[in-house]
C-alpha cells in the first residue's frame, strides 16, 4: 500500500466534495435547522426556562440554574453535552458512510474506476476514499459545533440569555474523558460502516438501484439506539441497550447514549470497544474482497448470494 | 534501440469466471518499442487478458512478466504503464486539467510536470482552450481524446489501448492511428487491442489474434501473411470462353480455386504452393489469354482469421469433442 497514492486519492475526493453544493448546503443548513428549532422551542414553548434565564447577570446564572436543576448542575450539563455529541457523531457516521457508497457507485457507473485501477490497487482506492470522507465528516462535526456556539452567542442576547457565561459553564463542565472515548467509538463505527458501504457500493450499478435496500442491513441497526432513546431515558439499565452494546453496527450509538445518560462500568466500555474493533477488522477484510470482485462487474447489481461467494473466495 | 528485447511476456495465462473460460493458455511477448496488436472479435478474451497484464485480475494459471530494467518482475510497475480502457469514463463534474494531473500523479508523475504535459497534449489534440472546462461540457469525441491523453501523459514505457477507435468518426480514427505511430516513434511500446483488424493492420508490427479465449494467430504480420497466406489473383482479359480458362487452370498444376469466372474477368485463389511468380510464368506461357489487368494480393488479416477459425472448427467437428 503506497501512502503517497492513498493521500493523492483522499486529497482528490476532499477537494471534489468541498466543491459540491450538496455537501456545503448540508453542512451549513443542518445545524441552522436544528438550532433554529431549539431556539424557537425555548422562545415559544418554554417561557418559564426563558424566564428563569432572562435578565440574569453572569454571577446569578449558576446559582439560578443549580436551584432549577436540583443541585447537580455539572451532571446535567455533562449529560446534555454528551448526548449532543453522540447525536452529532452518529449523524456524521451515517452520512459519511452514505457519501462513501454514493461516491463509489458513481465512480463505477461512470467507468472512471477502471482507469484508476491501472494506477492504484483496490485497497488504496478504498482507503483513500474512507479517509477522505472520515476527515470531511469530522470537519462537518466541527462546523456544526462552531455554528452552534456562534448561534448561541449571536442569538442569546436577543432572547435574554446570558450567552457568554452559559458557554463558559458548558466548557467548564464538558465531560472531556467521555468525549475522548466517543471519538474512539466514532472512528471505529465510521470505519465499520464506511468499509461496509464501500463493498456494498461496488456491487450496485447505479445510485438509485433497487438493490440499495441491502445497505439497510447495517444502517437500521446503527440507527436503532437513536430510535429507542426514550427507552433509555425511562430505564437507564434497559436490557435492550445492554444487548445493543454488543451488536456491532449498533455499538457506537448504544454505548455513546448509555454513557451520556447513565452510568456504565469501564469493563463494559472496554468489552464493547473490543467487539467493535474485531468486527471492524473483519468487515474491512470482507468488504475489500467484495469490492475487488464487484467493482468491475458491470451490467447488473449482484445478489446477496453472489456477494457472499465473493467475500469467501481466496485472493 | 534493441527492438528484439521483450518488455512484457505473457506465459500460459488462463482465466475462468463462474465456469466460463475467458482466456485459455495464452502466451506471447511484446517487444520494446513496437506496436503490438491484440486482435480478435468481441468476446475473444482481450479485455480480460489486458486486465491480467495490468494486475487488475490475477490469472488462474500462468503468469505475466515485465522486463522494464532487463530483469523480470511479476508485479506490473504501475508507474510505467498507461491505460485507455474500453469501459471508459471520467469525472463528469471535475475539470479537464485537474483530472489529467490527478491521474498522472497517481502514476507517480510530478504535479508541475503533469500540468505542463497536460497543456501540451491538449494543445496538440486541438483542446488547448479546454484545460479549465468541466468534463461534462465536452463532446464524446473530445472526452475520448482526453482519455487518450490520460493514458500517455505520464510517459509510460508501455501504453495499453483497449478498443481506442470505438465511437470515433473516421477523421478521428485517422488522428488516433497517427498518434499511435507517433508514440512508437517516441520509443513507447504500444499494446493495441481491437476487433477492427483491417483498421489496425496498418500500424501493427506484430500481432496476436484471439478467438474464444485461445490464441489462433501470433507473430509478425508479414510472417502470418506468408505462412497462412494464399494469394488472390484478379484478372481482366480480352474475351475468352470460360471453359478454355478452366481447362488451362486444370492442366497446369496451378491448383487454383476459382472464386469467379466470366468471359472478361476472373478471381482465383492461389494456394500456398503456387507463389505469384509461378502463376505469372504460367500465365505468360498461355498464348490464348490476353491479360488487360493483373492484381495479385495477399488477403487481409481478417480474411486469414476467418479461414483459420473456420478450419479449426472444421477439425474440431471431425475430431469430435474439444478439450
Amino acid at each position: 500500500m503506497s501512502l503517497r497514492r492513498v493521500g493523492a486519492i483522499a486529497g482528490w475526493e476532499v477537494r471534489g466534495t468541498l466543491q459540491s453544493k450538496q455537501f456545503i448546503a448540508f453542512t451549513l443548513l443542518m445545524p441552522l435547522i436544528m438550532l433554529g428549532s431549539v431556539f424557537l422551542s425555548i422562545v415559544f414553548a418554554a417561557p418559564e426556562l426563558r424566564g428563569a434565564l432572562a435578565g440574569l447577570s453572569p454571577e446569578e446564572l449558576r446559582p439560578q440554574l443549580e436551584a432549577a436543576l436540583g443541585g447537580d448542575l455539572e451532571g446535567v450539563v455533562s449529560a446534555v453535552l454528551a448526548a449532543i455529541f453522540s447525536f452529532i457523531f452518529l449523524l456524521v457516521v451515517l452520512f459519511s458512510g452514505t457519501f462513501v457508497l454514493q461516491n463509489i457507485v458513481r465512480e463505477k457507473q461512470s467507468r472512471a474506476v477502471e482507469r484508476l485501477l491501472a494506477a492504484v490497487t483496490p485497497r488504496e482506492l478504498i482507503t483513500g476514499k474512507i479517509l477522505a470522507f472520515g476527515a470531511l465528516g469530522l470537519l462537518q462535526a466541527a462546523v456544526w459545533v462552531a455554528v452552534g456556539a456562534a448561534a448561541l452567542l449571536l442569538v442569546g442576547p436577543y432572547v435574554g440569555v446570558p450567552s457568554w457565561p452559559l458557554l463558559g459553564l458548558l466548557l467548564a463542565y464538558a465531560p472531556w474523558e467521555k468525549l475522548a472515548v466517543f471519538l474512539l467509538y466514532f472512528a471505529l463505527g465510521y470505519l465499520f460502516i464506511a468499509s461496509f458501504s464501500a463493498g456494498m457500493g461496488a456491487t450496485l450499478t447505479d445510485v438509485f438501484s433497487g438493490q440499495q435496500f441491502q445497505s439497510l442491513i447495517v444502517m437500521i441497526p446503527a440507527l436503532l439506539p437513536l430510535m429507542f432513546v426514550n427507552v433509555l431515558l425511562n430505564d437507564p439499565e434497559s436490557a435492550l441497550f445492554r444487548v445493543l452494546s454488543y451488536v456491532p453496527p449498533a455499538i457506537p450509538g448504544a454505548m455513546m447514549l448509555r454513557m451520556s445518560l447513565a452510568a456504565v462500568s469501564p469493563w463494559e466500555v472496554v468489552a464493547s470497544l473490543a467487539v467493535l474493533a474485531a468486527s471492524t477488522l473483519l468487515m474491512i477484510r470482507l468488504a475489500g474482497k467484495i469490492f475487488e470482485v464487484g467493482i468491475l462487474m458491470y451490467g447488473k447489481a449482484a445478489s446477496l448470494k453472489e456477494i457472499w461467494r465473493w467475500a469467501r473466495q481466496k485472493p | 534501440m534493441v527492438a528484439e528485447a521483450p518488455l512484457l511476456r505473457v506465459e500460459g495465462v488462463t482465466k475462468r469466471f463462474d465456469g466460463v473460460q475467458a482466456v485459455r493458455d495464452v502466451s506471447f511477448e511484446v517487444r520494446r518499442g513496437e506496436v503490438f496488436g491484440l486482435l480478435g472479435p468481441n468476446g475473444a478474451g482481450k479485455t480480460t487478458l489486458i486486465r491480467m497484464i495490468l494486475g487488475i485480475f490475477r490469472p488462474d494459471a500462468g503468469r505475466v512478466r515485465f522486463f522494464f530494467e532487463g530483469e523480470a518482475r511479476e508485479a506490473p510497475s504501475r508507474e510505467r504503464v498507461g491505460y485507455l480502457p474500453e469501459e471508459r469514463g471520467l469525472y463528469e463534474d471535475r475539470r479537464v486539467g485537474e483530472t489529467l494531473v490527478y491521474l498522472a500523479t497517481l502514476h507517480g508523475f510530478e504535479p508541475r510536470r503533469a500540468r505542463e504535459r497536460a497543456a501540451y497534449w491538449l494543445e496538440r489534440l486541438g483542446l488547448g482552450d479546454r484545460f479549465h472546462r468541466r468534463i461534462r461540457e465536452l463532446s464524446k469525441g473530445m472526452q475520448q481524446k482526453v482519455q487518450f491523453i490520460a493514458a500517455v501523459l505520464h510517459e509510460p514505457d508501455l501504453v495499453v489501448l483497449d478498443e481506442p477507435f470505438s465511437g470515433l468518426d473516421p477523421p478521428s480514427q485517422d488522428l488516433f492511428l497517427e498518434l499511435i505511430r507517433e508514440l512508437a516513434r517516441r520509443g513507447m511500446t504500444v499494446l493495441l487491442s481491437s476487433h477492427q483488424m483491417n483498421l489496425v493492420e496498418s500500424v501493427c508490427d506484430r500481432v496476436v489474434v484471439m478467438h474464444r479465449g485461445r490464441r489462433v494467430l501470433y507473430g509478425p504480420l508479414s510472417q502470418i501473411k506468408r505462412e497462412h497466406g494464399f494469394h488472390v489473383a484478379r484478372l481482366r482479359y480480352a474475351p475468352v470462353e470460360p471453359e478454355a480458362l478452366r481447362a488451362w487452370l486444370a492442366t497446369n498444376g496451378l491448383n487454383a480455386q476459382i472464386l469467379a469466372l466470366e468471359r472478361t474477368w476472373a478471381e482465383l485463389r492461389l494456394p500456398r504452393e503456387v507463389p505469384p511468380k509461378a502463376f505469372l510464368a504460367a500465365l505468360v506461357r498461355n498464348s490464348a489469354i490476353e491479360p488487360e489487368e493483373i492484381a495479385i494480393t495477399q488477403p487481409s488479416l481478417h480474411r486469414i482469421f476467418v479461414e483459420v477459425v473456420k478450419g479449426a472448427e472444421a477439425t474440431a467437428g471431425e475430431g469430435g469433442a474439444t478439450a
Side-chain angles (χ1 to χ4, degrees):
Chain A
M1 177 114 62
S2 148
L3 287 181
R4 187 185 57 72
R5 290 198 288 254
V6 170
I9 294 164
W12 172 257
E13 297 299 349
V14 167
R15 258 177 288 138
T17 310
L18 288 179
Q19 288 167 19
S20 96
K21 293 189 189 80
Q22 188 199 356
F23 180 83
I24 292 170
F26 181 63
T27 305
L28 293 179
L29 288 181
M30 186 76 182
L32 288 180
I33 291 168
M34 287 189 323
L35 284 166
S37 62
V38 168
F39 272 111
L40 286 178
S41 62
I42 289 180
V43 172
F44 294 108
E48 68 282 355
L49 181 59
R50 190 182 156 206
L53 291 174
L56 291 179
S57 69
E59 298 76 42
E60 290 165 330
L61 179 67
R62 182 180 302 225
Q64 189 79 24
L65 277 175
E66 258 165 8
L69 295 168
D72 185 16
L73 182 58
E74 176 164 8
V76 172
V77 168
S78 106
V80 167
L81 277 182
I84 288 175
F85 270 89
S86 21
F87 184 63
I88 289 179
F89 279 153
L90 280 177
L91 277 190
V92 167
V93 164
L94 291 172
F95 284 128
S96 302
T98 311
F99 271 115
V100 170
L101 182 116
Q102 284 184 358
N103 177 278
I104 285 174
V105 176
R106 237 182 277 132
E107 198 157 287
K108 177 179 176 179
Q109 196 181 3
S110 73
R111 305 291 194 258
V113 69
E114 176 122 8
R115 174 65 186 78
L116 287 178
L117 289 180
V120 303
T121 67
R123 290 203 173 251
E124 287 165 349
L125 192 59
I126 310 185
T127 309
K129 284 177 188 298
I130 288 180
L131 288 180
F133 288 104
L136 285 165
L138 281 177
L139 176 71
Q140 240 170 2
V143 169
W144 293 354
V145 171
V147 171
L152 177 68
L153 293 178
L154 286 176
V155 185
Y158 293 100
V159 295
V161 175
S163 32
W164 277 106
L166 192 58
L167 195 66
L169 204 71
L170 292 178
L171 282 174
Y173 289 155
W176 298 112
E177 299 86 2
K178 263 188 203 171
L179 295 184
V181 178
F182 283 9
L183 211 53
L184 267 180
Y185 280 112
F186 164 78
L188 288 172
Y190 169 70
L191 276 180
F192 184 90
I193 296 225
S195 38
F196 170 83
S197 303
M200 199 45 94
T203 69
L204 301 175
T205 47
D206 63 87
V207 186
F208 307 106
S209 163
Q211 300 274 338
Q212 209 174 336
F213 79 88
Q214 288 168 349
S215 63
L216 297 181
I217 302 172
V218 160
M219 295 301 181
I220 295 279
L223 273 171
L224 277 181
L226 268 186
M227 296 193 282
F228 289 99
V229 69
N230 273 338
V231 174
L232 189 68
L233 282 170
N234 292 330
D235 173 17
E237 300 294 310
S238 149
L240 172 68
F241 271 77
R242 284 175 175 274
V243 172
L244 287 180
S245 299
Y246 297 98
V247 179
I251 291 176
M255 285 304 289
M256 285 195 286
L257 288 173
R258 278 182 70 192
M259 288 173 71
S260 306
L261 304 172
V264 183
S265 73
W267 76 262
E268 264 201 281
V269 174
V270 172
S272 71
L273 277 175
V275 172
L276 184 58
S279 50
T280 300
L281 280 179
L282 186 67
M283 180 56 85
I284 291 174
R285 289 182 59 96
L286 288 180
K289 282 189 191 171
I290 292 171
F291 183 89
E292 278 185 37
V293 184
I295 196 68
L296 292 175
M297 298 261 176
Y298 306 120
K300 67 176 179 76
S303 69
L304 280 176
K305 211 171 120 198
E306 282 173 300
I307 294 171
W308 179 236
R309 199 176 55 232
W310 299 346
R312 283 176 309 159
Q313 78 184 21
K314 291 201 179 60
Chain B
M1 194 195 307
V2 192
E4 293 298 298
L7 183 75
L8 161 72
R9 206 175 265 160
V10 173
E11 299 170 356
V13 159
T14 294
K15 184 76 185 178
R16 169 194 288 273
F17 294 107
D18 294 339
V20 180
Q21 277 276 350
V23 175
R24 313 180 199 206
D25 193 22
V26 170
S27 300
F28 59 84
E29 69 177 38
V30 178
R31 294 173 187 165
R32 202 170 281 278
E34 74 176 346
V35 178
F36 184 85
L38 171 57
L39 310 176
N42 291 330
K46 304 188 297 292
T47 297
T48 304
L49 194 56
I50 285 174
R51 286 176 178 171
M52 287 191 281
I53 289 171
L54 293 170
I56 298 174
F57 286 164
R58 253 168 299 228
D60 294 338
R63 60 178 177 175
V64 175
R65 287 196 294 164
F66 287 86
F67 302 86
F68 287 118
E69 252 95 41
E71 90 276 28
R73 50 197 289 178
E74 293 217 18
S77 174
R78 290 170 195 273
E79 266 105 58
R80 307 264 189 127
V81 295
Y83 183 29
L84 173 66
E86 181 183 14
E87 296 280 3
R88 44 186 163 246
L90 293 167
Y91 303 93
E92 295 268 298
D93 46 0
R94 306 300 284 268
R95 294 173 200 282
V96 173
E98 63 170 346
T99 305
L100 288 172
V101 171
Y102 171 54
L103 291 171
T105 48
L106 285 184
H107 284 283
F109 213 59
E110 209 247 314
R112 191 181 315 155
R113 270 198 74 210
R115 209 160 294 125
E116 280 168 26
R117 298 305 293 164
Y120 162 82
W121 274 107
L122 286 170
E123 195 65 52
R124 171 85 177 67
L125 293 187
L127 299 172
D129 54 343
R130 308 296 163 118
F131 192 96
H132 295 290
R133 285 300 174 84
R134 290 189 198 278
I135 301 227
R136 82 169 98 79
E137 297 168 32
L138 268 53
S139 72
K140 275 266 172 289
M142 288 180 191
Q143 290 193 19
Q144 200 149 331
K145 286 180 182 173
V146 173
Q147 280 148 349
F148 180 88
I149 296 174
V152 300
L153 175 64
H154 55 292
E155 293 169 0
D157 290 353
L158 172 70
V159 56
V160 178
L161 308 173
D162 195 359
E163 299 286 358
F165 307 105
S166 67
L168 289 180
D169 56 6
S172 304
Q173 285 186 353
D174 288 345
L175 171 69
F176 270 46
L177 279 171
E178 183 44 44
L179 286 171
I180 290 166
R181 287 192 195 97
E182 184 185 319
L183 295 179
R185 277 199 299 277
R186 291 176 178 213
M188 243 180 240
T189 307
V190 182
L191 176 59
L192 173 59
S193 160
S194 177
H195 70 280
Q196 292 157 290
M197 294 188 211
N198 291 338
L199 187 63
V200 299
E201 221 182 292
S202 63
V203 287
C204 291
D205 301 308
R206 297 185 322 121
V207 299
V208 63
V209 184
M210 292 179 61
H211 178 61
R212 293 193 182 156
R214 287 180 202 280
R215 185 183 100 179
V216 290
L217 291 167
Y218 172 53
L221 207 50
S222 53
Q223 190 188 327
I224 290 179
K225 293 209 165 181
R226 224 173 21 250
E227 284 176 3
H228 293 271
F230 39 88
H231 284 87
V232 173
R234 273 181 215 88
L235 303 177
R236 271 171 39 76
Y237 35 74
V240 61
E241 275 310 309
E243 283 316 307
L245 207 74
R246 202 186 293 276
W248 169 68
L249 285 169
T251 53
N252 267 280
L254 289 176
N255 209 11
Q257 184 193 341
I258 298 165
L259 302 173
L261 181 57
E262 300 293 333
R263 272 176 59 81
T264 58
W265 66 276
E267 202 172 276
L268 308 170
R269 181 189 192 282
L270 307 180
R272 202 137 56 96
E273 318 80 80
V274 181
K277 203 169 169 182
F279 175 77
L280 283 176
L283 187 65
V284 169
R285 281 199 301 275
N286 184 337
S287 54
I289 300 169
E290 200 59 54
E292 287 168 352
E293 271 179 32
I294 305 171
I296 300 180
T297 52
Q298 282 190 315
S300 65
L301 185 61
H302 176 75
R303 187 76 185 272
I304 296 175
F305 169 77
V306 169
E307 299 237 344
V308 167
V309 168
K310 230 188 279 166
E313 274 164 7
T315 328
E318 284 157 22
T322 45

